[in-house]
Amino acid sequence: MSADTGAAGAAVATARRVAVLTGAGVSTASGIPDFRGPAAVDVWSSEPPVDAYAADPEVRRTAWRARLRHPVWTAEPNEAHRALVDLERSGRLRALLTQNVDGLHGRAGSGRVVELHGTMRATACLGCGARAPMSAALDRVRAGDPDPSCEACGGVLGPATVSFGQPLDPDVLRAARTAALDCDLMLVAGTSLLVQPAADLVVLAARAGAAVVVCNAEPTPLDGLAAAVVRAPVELVLPELVAVPRADPERPVRTWGDPSTW
Ligand SMILES: [Zn+2]
């Protein structure tokens, strides 16, 4: 274990309420590429821009064909996902905030997941908002419907994800902020913290008194805030960190979520 990993492991070992923030780096070992890149493609999920999608049936037909082939349907959770399940089972996980839309945290067995950008595993109607399993829509595409419409209102169906530039669901954002204010450790894993609200959530946690640990292959703009920065693949680092035996903190933990310390 390197010095950085040791400091990060000590932070995890003494934490009582951990908020974890994950991004694309957690899923790359499951074979899901990081879709940040071509500007015309949605930053989270390889989806086309929502305006073009809503207006143009040909864009939708192309998108449905692409969804059928998406790597997420055959991807399996990796050691990073499983380590966070272990953290939850140890009773220390306050919330798992993820920017990923692949649903792999849930498939691994994590329960306290807040999906900041929604999920590819459901569809949402652009007209009436009705949600349904993505698998049902994909079955309709396979059966010959090139652009399946909402079964409730006939409107345009798309994945239940937040497109780049769209606002987040206010309830989801509130849950994420509450967790950030109520943790004693913010563990950042596999995200470069280049987009909001991810970076804001980390700053919020730090201002409320939480320690910050960043595990990411690349530098992030908030590395300076962190008690420890580990620059290595998260599927290797997270199992090591979570395996460190629990320890008592050297000083009392103070967070906004603990009224006895106000
Ligand atoms: Zn509808």
Side-chain angles (χ1 to χ4, degrees):
M1 191 179 278
S2 72
D4 289 338
T5 313
V12 173
T14 53
R16 293 294 179 269
R17 287 189 303 280
V18 184
V20 182
L21 174 65
T22 68
V26 166
S27 289
T28 48
S30 293
I32 299 176
D34 184 347
F35 290 107
R36 273 173 306 153
V41 174
D42 185 273
V43 70
W44 319 127
S45 59
S46 76
E47 288 288 330
V50 68
D51 291 351
Y53 185 82
D56 187 344
E58 187 51 40
V59 171
R60 294 200 292 277
R61 288 191 284 268
T62 303
W64 280 112
R65 286 195 297 272
R67 280 178 206 134
L68 282 179
R69 298 188 304 268
H70 199 286
V72 76
W73 312 127
T74 51
E76 295 293 338
N78 64 61
E79 293 303 320
H81 298 105
R82 282 190 280 276
L84 296 174
V85 175
D86 291 342
L87 181 68
E88 183 167 349
R89 288 184 180 151
S90 77
R92 290 174 288 166
L93 182 70
R94 174 62 179 77
L96 173 44
L97 317 176
T98 186
Q99 299 170 90
N100 298 340
V101 296
D102 54 41
L104 288 179
H105 285 303
R107 281 183 44 93
S110 288
R112 311 187 75 144
V113 183
V114 177
E115 292 178 310
L116 294 166
H117 298 149
T119 177
M120 289 179 66
R121 293 182 187 268
T123 54
C125 173
L126 270 52
C128 73
R131 290 170 69 108
M134 175 61 82
S135 57
L138 293 178
D139 285 345
R140 289 165 67 192
V141 178
R142 284 189 201 96
D145 183 347
D147 178 20
S149 55
C150 174
E151 293 192 313
C153 78
V156 170
L157 277 192
T161 53
V162 178
S163 295
F164 190 58
Q166 280 188 319
L168 268 58
D169 181 318
D171 292 335
V172 168
L173 189 55
R174 193 174 306 117
R177 286 186 172 143
T178 302
L181 287 169
D182 183 35
C183 65
D184 58 11
L185 172 65
M186 173 61 81
L187 175 59
V188 177
T191 168
S192 297
L193 298 175
L194 294 175
V195 293
Q196 298 300 355
D200 275 350
L201 291 168
V202 175
V203 171
L204 196 63
R207 286 191 182 146
V212 174
V213 167
V214 175
C215 306
N216 195 51
E218 305 291 326
T220 84
L222 297 182
D223 286 356
L225 265 183
V229 176
V230 185
R231 223 162 268 161
V234 289
E235 66 275 14
L236 303 178
V237 175
L238 289 180
E240 273 195 68
L241 298 187
V242 171
V244 176
R246 290 183 63 166
D248 288 326
E250 288 171 11
R251 56 185 169 80
V253 176
R254 182 183 181 283
T255 75
W256 296 111
D258 180 0
S260 70
T261 64
W262 289 359

